[in-house]
Amino acid sequence: KERKKERKKERKKERKKHKPEIMSVRPNNLPPIQEMPPLGGYATLDVARIFPKRGPKGWQLWTGSSLLIAYGFYQVGQTNLERNRQRYLERQTRYALAPVLQAEADRVYLEKELLNLKKEAEIMKNVDGWQVGKSPYNNNRFMPRAVDNFDTQCK
């Protein structure tokens, strides 16, 4: 242990000896020492080996992206055309079915109207001057009546 302490003290003394007393040194007037390349130059670097290719070039990326975007717009256009054709066919089907559906609705309306007229005649048979089916409005315009069953309203 004592030996270690002695060695530490010796090292401190050595460090103090090598410490310069002045803070800065005057510059000398000698030209600076510059490191020069070896005679014959440095060896050539194989850049292709050191920096391998990192992917496609910029123009290739741009062209590929442009083609993909153009194809996407083409697909959107084709989908829009197909959707328009489908809507056109649906419209044509509705136009073709409209008279049939209207005739069915008219038939149901007339059946309910006949039932309502029969019920009206039965209910109003004791009222003098009552005309079954006559419009309650004082004009000649056709006004379709509500043909819901009277029974459903009274329940």
Side-chain angles (χ1 to χ4, degrees):
K1 290 181 182 178
E2 291 177 17
R3 210 175 200 187
K4 285 184 182 178
K5 289 181 183 178
E6 288 177 13
R7 282 185 190 168
K8 279 186 182 179
K9 288 180 184 178
E10 287 176 12
R11 283 185 202 146
K12 280 185 182 180
K13 286 180 186 177
E14 286 178 16
R15 277 190 230 139
K16 285 183 182 178
K17 285 181 187 176
H18 295 294
K19 232 180 197 180
E21 292 292 325
I22 52 175
M23 295 301 285
S24 63
V25 180
R26 280 188 175 183
N28 56 12
N29 293 332
L30 298 173
I33 300 171
Q34 184 172 351
E35 192 174 311
M36 299 300 287
L39 294 175
Y42 291 109
T44 58
L45 296 175
D46 187 10
V47 178
R49 185 181 61 83
I50 296 172
F51 302 111
K53 287 188 178 181
R54 293 178 40 150
K57 297 179 174 114
W59 67 270
Q60 292 169 333
L61 289 173
W62 191 88
T63 304
S65 299
S66 298
L67 288 174
L68 282 173
I69 290 170
Y71 178 72
F73 275 117
Y74 171 77
Q75 285 296 340
V76 167
Q78 293 303 309
T79 303
N80 287 343
L81 289 175
E82 182 62 32
R83 187 183 309 131
N84 288 342
R85 276 188 229 117
Q86 186 66 31
R87 287 179 180 170
Y88 174 77
L89 290 174
E90 287 176 8
R91 252 191 336 269
Q92 292 302 317
T93 305
R94 285 190 191 116
Y95 293 161
L97 287 176
V100 175
L101 295 175
Q102 186 63 50
E104 180 69 20
D106 290 346
R107 188 184 65 77
V108 170
Y109 173 80
L110 287 175
E111 285 177 0
K112 286 186 178 183
E113 181 70 17
L114 283 174
L115 287 173
N116 286 343
L117 289 176
K118 286 179 186 175
K119 285 186 181 182
E120 182 183 344
E122 183 183 326
I123 292 171
M124 301 300 280
K125 64 183 172 189
N126 297 332
V127 177
D128 293 334
W130 183 264
Q131 294 178 355
V132 176
K134 183 179 179 193
S135 174
Y137 305 107
N138 294 324
N139 60 13
N140 293 328
R141 182 190 281 175
F142 173 73
M143 301 285 282
R145 301 189 320 165
V147 291
D148 289 338
N149 294 330
F150 291 129
D151 295 342
T152 58
Q153 294 175 359
C154 297
K155 287 184 180 179

